[in-house]
Amino acid sequence: MLTKTIPTTTDAYTSFSRSEWSSLAYQASVSLTDEERTQLQGINETVSPDEVEQIYVPLTELLYMHTTHAVNLHNDQNRFFHRETKKVPFVIGIAGSVSVGKSTTARLIQALISRWPNRPKVDLVTTDGFLYPNKVLEERGLMKRKGFPESYDIRKLVRFLSDIKSGRKSTEVPLYSHLTYDVLSEKSQPIDEPDVVIVEGINVLQVNKKDRRISPVFVSDFFDYSIYVDADEENIIKWYIDRFKVLQHTAFQDPNSFFHRYRHLSETEAEEVALSIWKTINGVNLEKNIRPTRYRADMILTKGNGHRVEQVQVKKS
């Protein structure tokens, strides 16, 4: 009796080593200044010129192909339907664990896309603003599950993306303060006729598998392209602890900081607290909710030591 071989999920991707990927760039002159790279990199994270030129330049060149294809398809459909409709924004989703560096990835992509020949307007939206306010989380007993799927107002996030993809000229998104660890009720981010929208957050590739009544569609249904930023958990834990220790001597010193109580911890105590938070909250969320979404992405960036991307996987089409 013959047995059927079931393909693995990774069979759906073409894998590139760092050197293979870097060889694909044909516009190596597109880059960022030292000052720009410093402004875009995250806490305790250094973005080298090589990282920009070898990883992010070819990445954004691939995205340029996708956006050009989307524009051509839109024009062809206008001719087919005998209608003149405005092209809606191209939406890119970026997912990954806490402390993996996805925010830096999002900012680098935004900066490089804005340098495309057509100088597109690029807005970056983080899903932190779509968390429920702390008051609501406390009422629902969810403060220790902040970042888990149930801590987000998915309806509001889906409504925003629906507005974007329906061609609405302008809208607003809520903002979040990492200092106070809460949504800013009095402030919002205006989104006014962008060409490209980057949506970054740990939850953007998750599905509402527990309760579809939350939303009949998924956040990722609105994405034209999606990227998952990955790394071994051992590295992510190290980056998380290192960031915690940096913040302890900077942001945590502010009396308005939600984590102000940790400002006087010794280095050993700070490491223990950070590791405890990771093991009880962020690590659990990564294992149960975030990492399982990895193969829903069109591209997977796998990082090694020092946030250096070592492998790029692109879903076959």
Side-chain angles (χ1 to χ4, degrees):
M1 182 177 177
L2 295 174
T3 57
K4 185 179 294 185
T5 301
I6 300 175
T8 64
T9 310
T10 53
D11 289 338
Y13 291 81
T14 301
S15 295
F16 300 86
S17 67
R18 184 183 179 91
S19 60
E20 289 170 336
W21 183 256
S22 66
S23 69
L24 302 177
Y26 64 88
Q27 289 183 355
S29 59
V30 179
S31 191
L32 301 171
T33 66
D34 291 345
E35 182 179 358
E36 288 170 327
R37 285 187 288 100
T38 300
Q39 291 175 343
L40 296 172
Q41 64 195 20
I43 296 171
N44 217 38
E45 183 179 354
T46 301
V47 177
S48 69
D50 285 349
E51 196 71 7
V52 174
E53 293 170 10
Q54 296 175 11
I55 300 299
Y56 291 99
V57 168
L59 190 162
T60 50
E61 287 174 357
L62 179 62
L63 289 174
Y64 184 73
M65 295 178 201
H66 280 273
T67 58
T68 301
H69 173 75
V71 169
N72 291 337
L73 178 60
H74 171 76
N75 293 336
D76 288 343
Q77 288 186 152
N78 269 349
R79 285 190 290 271
F80 180 79
F81 293 123
H82 302 289
R83 292 184 178 180
E84 284 298 325
T85 60
K86 187 178 183 301
K87 175 72 176 69
V88 297
F90 189 91
V91 180
I92 302 167
I94 300 180
S97 170
V98 168
S99 290
V100 79
K102 62 188 177 302
S103 296
T104 299
T105 292
R107 290 191 293 266
L108 287 168
I109 291 173
Q110 180 187 29
L112 290 171
I113 287 178
S114 68
R115 286 164 168 73
W116 285 353
N118 57 333
R119 292 294 187 267
K121 184 177 185 297
V122 191
D123 282 324
L124 172 57
V125 173
T126 65
T127 60
D128 291 338
F130 293 92
L131 283 159
Y132 286 113
N134 286 353
K135 181 180 179 181
V136 174
L137 294 177
E138 288 168 353
E139 290 171 351
R140 299 182 183 182
L142 294 174
M143 277 300 289
K144 290 187 177 181
R145 293 181 68 80
K146 199 167 194 177
F148 284 66
E150 59 268 31
S151 66
Y152 289 90
D153 190 339
I154 297 298
R155 286 193 184 92
K156 182 183 287 188
L157 178 53
V158 166
R159 190 162 56 246
F160 158 70
L161 290 167
S162 179
D163 286 344
I164 287 292
K165 278 300 191 180
S166 67
R168 183 170 174 176
K169 287 188 176 182
S170 61
T171 185
E172 294 182 343
V173 295
L175 291 173
Y176 184 84
S177 169
H178 287 279
L179 180 68
T180 62
Y181 200 57
D182 203 357
V183 177
L184 297 171
S185 59
E186 303 299 323
K187 293 184 178 181
S188 61
Q189 175 186 353
I191 306 295
D192 187 19
E193 295 190 271
D195 299 298
V196 178
V197 176
I198 301 171
V199 182
E200 175 263 310
I202 62 176
N203 63 321
V204 297
L205 294 177
Q206 292 168 10
V207 297
N208 310 322
K209 55 187 177 183
K210 290 185 178 179
D211 188 355
R212 285 298 299 270
R213 292 173 298 176
I214 293 175
S215 173
V217 294
F218 303 139
V219 170
S220 58
D221 289 341
F222 298 94
F223 295 161
D224 297 289
Y225 201 85
S226 56
I227 300 169
Y228 184 94
V229 184
D230 199 15
D232 289 339
E233 187 170 1
E234 181 180 348
N235 276 331
I236 302 175
I237 292 172
K238 179 182 182 303
W239 298 334
Y240 180 77
I241 293 174
D242 288 346
R243 186 176 73 172
F244 186 93
K245 290 193 293 185
V246 170
L247 290 172
Q248 183 199 4
H249 298 291
T250 53
F252 294 178
Q253 297 297 315
D254 190 323
N256 294 315
S257 171
F258 182 84
F259 296 101
H260 187 58
R261 62 190 181 278
Y262 295 137
R263 67 193 182 281
H264 294 316
L265 295 178
S266 68
E267 183 171 347
T268 299
E269 289 171 334
E271 290 178 359
E272 290 174 351
V273 168
L275 185 58
S276 175
I277 294 172
W278 179 268
K279 287 182 175 179
T280 58
I281 301 176
N282 296 315
V284 176
N285 198 17
L286 172 61
E287 180 67 24
K288 291 185 177 294
N289 300 306
I290 303 170
R291 183 161 283 158
T293 70
R294 172 174 45 183
Y295 292 117
R296 301 192 74 235
D298 296 301
M299 175 185 289
I300 302 171
L301 300 178
T302 303
K303 291 184 172 185
N305 294 333
H307 285 275
R308 176 184 165 96
V309 174
E310 301 294 352
Q311 183 187 54
V312 179
Q313 293 170 273
V314 180
K315 188 171 284 185
K316 297 173 183 176
S317 57

